[in-house]
Amino acid sequence: MDGSFIENLANFYKDDQWQLFDGETGDINVTETQEAFEAAARPDVTEEYQNYCVEGQMSYVADDLTMTYVIPLEPVVADEEGRMQSAGVALNGVRLDGPAPTEAILSAYTIAAFDDCGGHVNPFVGYRYHAVTDCQEVASEVHASAVGLALDGYMIYAHARTDGSVPADLDYCFGHTTDADGYHYHAGAAGSN
Ligand SMILES: [Zn+2]
Ligand SMILES: [Zn+2]
């Protein structure tokens, strides 16, 4: 995300309500306090914080926030296909989540930017990833870099194999079976949300 993206939001989203910066100074509206962040980082964004870049800081996350994950040792296949609210846990311990609710975010004229690792601070769950980049990858010679563990117990690997190719036989869940690794998932492309 850069200045010209912010400047052209109205064109990009074909909606004149977008005005994320001061027309005179060019300064971008950014949530600069925890109060502002919490008012903007929720579905019913108050009028005051529409047209803001929603930026959370790690210092806003409560010290006693804990997350407990129950992951089966033997993977358990889901009953039905569907979007999981939380996808799993990265090998570095950070929560791996599904797509960000971009429609809700954009309909309030807010932009919740990710850092270079595809993560951001959420007021309720702390720091989490919505995308897999090379930040999460743990190099592996075998198949593709390992990224994390899905909540159903299957491994999640990087989007592409170590040789750069993307498996062509992925199912609806972006999973497939190989002789060496059994059934496992591959992350979507970093920009695919
Ligand atoms: Zn999020
Ligand atoms: Zn694979």
Side-chain angles (χ1 to χ4, degrees), residues 11 30 34 39 43 64 85 93 120 126 146 152 155 157 181 185:
N11 291 331
V30 180
Q34 182 168 357
D64 59 354
Q85 267 306 317
H120 75 134
D152 57 14
M155 284 293 296
Y157 287 88
D181 299 291
Y185 300 118

Side-chain angles (χ1 to χ4, degrees), residues 86-107:
S86 181
V89 187
L91 296 181
N92 63 10
V94 175
R95 180 183 168 103
L96 267 176
D97 270 334
T102 40
E103 269 177 43
I105 295 167
L106 296 174
S107 68

